[in-house]
Structures are given as C-alpha cells and as structure tokens.
Amino acid sequence: MKNSLNRFVPDGYKPFVGSDEYKKQERRLIKEKKTSKGFTELKDVSDLFDKLNITDGMTLSFHHHLRNGDFVLNMVAEEIKRRNLKNIKLAPSSIFPNNKILVELIENGNVTDIYTDYVNGPVAQAISEGKLKGTCVMHTHGGRPQAIESGDLHIDVAILGVPVVDKEGNGSGVYGKSACGSLGYAESDLRYADKVVFVTDTFVDVCEKPQLDGKYVDFVLKVPAIGDPAGIVSGTTKITKDPVGLKIARNAAQLLDELGMIKDGLSMQTGAGGTSLAVAYYVKKRMVERGIKGSFASGGITGYFTDMLEEGLFDELFDVQCFDLKAVESIKKNATHHAMSGSKYANAFDDNVVDKLDFVILGATEIDLDFNVNVTTDSHGKIMGGSGGHSDTAHGAKVTVITTNLVKSRLPIIKEQVTTVTTPGEDVDVLVTERGIAINPRRTDLLEKVKNSKLPIYKIQDLLKIAYEITGEPLKTEKSDIPVGVVVYRDGTVIDTVFKTKQVTK
C-alpha cells in the first residue's frame, strides 16, 4: 500500500484499504440490486425530492461527462437551496466552474462534505478558504468506483444526466441533443446507489448502443435540457504551436523511441493538452514511417486519437469520457471505439485498462526531487484540480512521462518538495522539459538504455539548479494547521492533506 507519504489525516476520516473481501462484497452488492426493468416517471425536480424523500444529511452523486456544460448538478443544487436542506454530502465525479452555485450552499451549511476526483473554479476556491464545514475527499478516477463498490462511499441517491433513455430505462450518451459520448463514470453510481434517477431530455422507444442498464433505474425525470455538449471540451484538443512545447514533445517522443516503446502492439494514453497531443503527433509520425500498428489508446479520448483509429494506427480505443465532439461522433459510428466504466478504466481492484498501458504522457503543476507530482493545488496550496486519472495511469503504465516547461509564470516547476502530493514519485519515471530530461534513479533499466543517448539527460537536482538560475529561489508558502481536504490514492489510502494557506515567507 502506498501510504509512506501520509502526512496527516483529519479526525473522523476513515480511509478504505482494499482486501480480499472487496471482490466478495462487489458480487454481493450487484446480486442484491433489482433484476427486472421498470421505473417511475417524475414530474419535476421538486417531485424528485418528494418521491425519494431527500432529507438532511443524505449523500447524492452525479457524473461529470457534460463537464462545464452540465445542468443537472446545478438544478439539484437549486432545489437543495430552496428547501434549505442541511449537511448534504455531494459525490460528483468532478466539479467545474459552472457549478459555482455550490459556493453559496457550502457557505450556508447546505452542503458540508464533498467527494470528488477533480474540482476547479469557484468551488475549489471556497474549499481552499476553509468554507466547507466537513471534508473534501479527493479520489482518483479509479479510486472513486472502488470506494463506491466497496461501500466506503455510500450513495443514497445517484442523479445521473443521461442524453437518451428508452421505455425500459436503458440509457446512452451517444445520441440525443445533449450527446456526450461515453458515460463511464456513471456506471458504479448506477449499480451501487440505494436509488437511481436518470435525468434526460430525450425519450426514445429503443435505445441504440445502451451503456447503462435500465434494470438498475428507479426513476426517470425528463427536463428541457441536461446540458450543453459544447462544454465537454477539455484542454486545447489541438497540438500546440508553441516552439517550447514542440521541443518538449519532440524530445519526449525521441526518448520513448530510444527506450524501445514505439513498437508494434504499443498501448498509450495522453492528456488533451497541446503538448501531450504533440507527443502523440511525433509518436504517430514514427508509427506511420515504420508501419507500426498499436493495440489500443485509452482514457479521455479526443478527435486526435479517433483519427489515428480510423487511419488504422490502433486496433481499439477504450474511452471513459469523450474530451471533444469529434470523439462523441466516433464512439457513435466506430465499432472498435469502446465506452468503458470508470472501474474498468482504472479501479486497482478490477481487471483494469491502465495497468496494461505501455506508456502515458502526463502534466504537472509541480514535481519535486523525489519525482512526486502535484496536480491538485497551486504552489500556494489552493486547490485547482485533482488527480483524475493521473495517479491511476502513472502507476499502471510501464513508463510514465511527465512533460512540462521548466519554468512557468516565472516559477520553477521543480520543487525541493511539492506543495501537495497527488502522484507518488515511485510511480513517475521520466520528466521532460525544454531544458533537459531527468529519469527517476529508481529506473536503472531506463538509465541503462539511454546511457549513450544524445538527448540532454540530467539529474533532476541539476535541472532544479538551472531553473533557479533563471528565476532565483522562490518564496516558500507556509501551511496553516487547518485541513480542508484529503488526497486519496487509488488503493484507498490517504497520501496527503490539503491545508489552508497561511502566509508567504522568505
């Protein structure tokens, strides 16, 4: 278990640690759910609260596949506010800037605890300022389904936005005016919540390519719109044109080549940012030149990878969420573009996809001399994201590559110690910057393979010195003793705690 980095756990928080009992409980919970189809149709959101008897202290869950275009979480939040419910626990798979209504609910004590994989925008700011009266528990994308399926995160009501629902309650994200593609993060909520509500804007007789089984659905609510699909776009979804980013990407691809990773049957994952996609571009270039065909790409899928699929460069795509509308169109028409659940994607206690990756390209807000990576907070300790699939894929892949500028906004990205540990250094293998490359000394096998390389390979301590020559040594941020959240690793252990920022000193 990766709990060696555990620094502080707030009173009252009891992390789940996986055991042999996990799979037994998983099978039991599935068996106990109803087996016949049939649901009750609701009139409106108020009727939803009445019929399900939603009261103070309950835990409500949501998925984030419509991302910054989602309407469902906000319409439920409005009803919580109208009824002035208290001590509600929210478990959305992610929270975005459009969910700013939650700030008011946090300040009023309507919402006191949040369980999520990622949080950005006004809600993140409110949590960082200590306004949440309970705890913000930040899971990974694989840790969240594990917590739900194990019973560690018990959900009273799952309220799931579904673009299309048929007369038997089957749901799909592929069709309808709010189509968002894969609905992978909703699967565990669907199967394990005490009660399940589908919120949709499109009813059909028969749902093509159903992703969510209607036998688990208790209620369906039809509304004018569940969201704006334009809001699903993540990152730039286009290859960077920045010369620095392109240099980083070229060097990363060259390193992967020298490590023998670009070969027939390769499997890979990248983020949706410009530099990550540029790495994919240079990998693709080598694949085309040599007639290499990969086995699969996975994760949040962009149009760039659907193009590679259609060009015959991959056998399959495994998609837990679509990062742009081109990916949504692809999952509709391509039989080898598969939607997968969050558990199948990255649950450490499942037969997951990330553990089969050859390499993954990830970013970093900070990385330290022990190769620990922070993508949860900024350098002042304010929450600005979360692991998502970062630590899941970093652990699973044979080679994990972090690509980042050495200096951003006049601050060195390498730190002596990161502000918050999101991904432990034992899961991180390589750092690629425009000034040089550092390989984790634990990976003696990789160091041996590149000992004659012409690439600029340094010790990470030397890259830090180069950064300090550019920026000077930055001021240090002191932490208060008031915890505002915990960072939970994919196996259920707490690896760090987020505190209110205290002050900045020399």
Side-chain angles (χ1 to χ4, degrees), residues 206-255:
V206 179
C207 183
E208 297 183 59
K209 292 189 176 181
Q211 298 170 352
L212 304 178
D213 192 332
K215 74 181 181 183
Y216 298 107
V217 182
D218 301 294
F219 298 87
V220 176
L221 170 62
K222 188 173 186 295
V223 296
I226 63 169
D228 177 6
I232 73 172
V233 177
S234 174
T236 65
T237 71
K238 293 182 180 179
I239 295 168
T240 184
K241 295 181 180 179
D242 172 45
V244 173
L246 290 173
K247 181 179 180 181
I248 293 169
R250 280 195 301 270
N251 284 348
Q254 179 62 34
L255 179 70

Side-chain angles (χ1 to χ4, degrees), residues 49-50 52-60 80 83-89 110 156-157:
F49 275 65
D50 289 339
L52 282 96
N53 192 29
I54 295 176
T55 56
D56 294 353
M58 292 181 74
T59 300
L60 313 179
I80 293 171
R83 294 179 180 233
N84 197 28
L85 299 181
K86 298 294 185 180
N87 302 317
I88 295 292
K89 299 173 178 64
N110 305 115
D156 292 301
V157 183

Side-chain angles (χ1 to χ4, degrees), residues 126-401:
I127 296 169
S128 298
E129 292 172 358
K131 293 181 178 179
L132 191 68
K133 293 178 175 60
T135 304
C136 177
V137 179
M138 303 190 72
H139 291 289
T140 72
H141 279 334
R144 180 177 187 271
Q146 174 262 106
I148 293 171
E149 293 169 12
S150 69
D152 185 47
L153 175 54
H154 173 260
I155 297 169
D156 292 301
V157 183
I159 304 171
L160 308 174
V162 183
V164 169
V165 177
D166 70 17
K167 61 184 179 182
E168 292 194 332
N170 301 308
S172 174
V174 174
Y175 300 95
K177 66 180 182 180
S178 301
C180 56
S182 175
L183 294 174
Y185 295 124
E187 185 72 31
S188 295
D189 305 63
L190 171 73
R191 288 174 176 262
Y192 292 91
D194 289 350
K195 295 293 181 182
V196 176
V197 180
F198 279 177
V199 182
T200 189
D201 50 32
T202 304
F203 268 130
V204 294
D205 287 336
V206 179
C207 183
E208 297 183 59
K209 292 189 176 181
Q211 298 170 352
L212 304 178
D213 192 332
K215 74 181 181 183
Y216 298 107
V217 182
D218 301 294
F219 298 87
V220 176
L221 170 62
K222 188 173 186 295
V223 296
I226 63 169
D228 177 6
I232 73 172
V233 177
S234 174
T236 65
T237 71
K238 293 182 180 179
I239 295 168
T240 184
K241 295 181 180 179
D242 172 45
V244 173
L246 290 173
K247 181 179 180 181
I248 293 169
R250 280 195 301 270
N251 284 348
Q254 179 62 34
L255 179 70
L256 288 167
D257 206 0
E258 293 183 15
L259 293 174
M261 306 303 295
I262 303 177
K263 61 185 188 302
D264 278 328
L266 71 84
S267 55
M268 65 180 288
Q269 181 170 329
T270 75
T275 301
S276 293
L277 291 179
V279 177
Y281 167 79
Y282 288 116
V283 170
K284 173 183 175 181
K285 203 172 175 185
R286 287 166 169 78
M287 292 173 71
V288 171
E289 288 170 355
R290 301 174 197 169
I292 291 170
K293 186 172 186 177
S295 56
F296 72 87
S298 66
I301 296 296
T302 65
Y304 190 80
F305 281 99
T306 66
D307 287 343
M308 291 181 74
L309 177 72
E310 292 175 1
E311 291 166 20
L313 295 174
F314 284 108
D315 291 327
E316 298 174 290
L317 298 180
F318 292 100
D319 191 344
V320 71
Q321 68 172 318
C322 293
F323 274 163
D324 59 28
L325 297 180
K326 196 169 184 180
V328 174
E329 185 61 28
S330 171
I331 204 169
K332 182 189 300 183
K333 67 181 181 180
N334 288 317
T336 53
H337 184 167
H338 310 290
M340 64 176 167
S341 70
S343 195
K344 181 66 177 175
Y345 171 48
N347 185 342
F349 298 90
D350 202 343
D351 177 25
N352 64 69
V353 168
V354 299
D355 286 350
K356 300 177 178 67
L357 287 169
D358 286 321
F359 62 88
V360 64
I361 311 299
L362 299 169
T365 304
E366 300 174 330
I367 184 169
D368 67 23
L369 298 179
D370 292 319
F371 284 81
N372 300 309
V373 173
N374 174 20
V375 291
T376 301
T377 66
D378 64 17
S379 295
H380 299 295
K382 293 181 180 178
I383 298 170
M384 52 166 286
S387 177
H390 197 285
S391 56
D392 293 314
T393 53
H395 178 87
K398 294 183 179 70
V399 175
T400 297
V401 179

Side-chain angles (χ1 to χ4, degrees), residues 438-489:
I439 296 176
N440 193 325
R442 293 185 181 92
R443 294 301 304 265
T444 55
D445 57 327
L446 303 186
L447 288 165
E448 178 65 23
K449 287 181 179 179
V450 297
K451 64 183 179 181
N452 296 318
S453 176
K454 294 181 180 179
L455 288 167
I457 297 175
Y458 297 85
K459 293 180 178 179
I460 195 168
Q461 291 84 354
D462 294 331
L463 287 179
L464 178 59
K465 289 177 184 176
I466 293 171
Y468 281 176
E469 288 171 2
I470 299 169
T471 66
E473 191 168 344
L475 300 176
K476 293 183 179 180
T477 302
E478 293 184 8
K479 296 179 180 179
S480 73
D481 57 358
I482 302 172
V484 297
V486 292
V487 180
V488 182
Y489 188 66

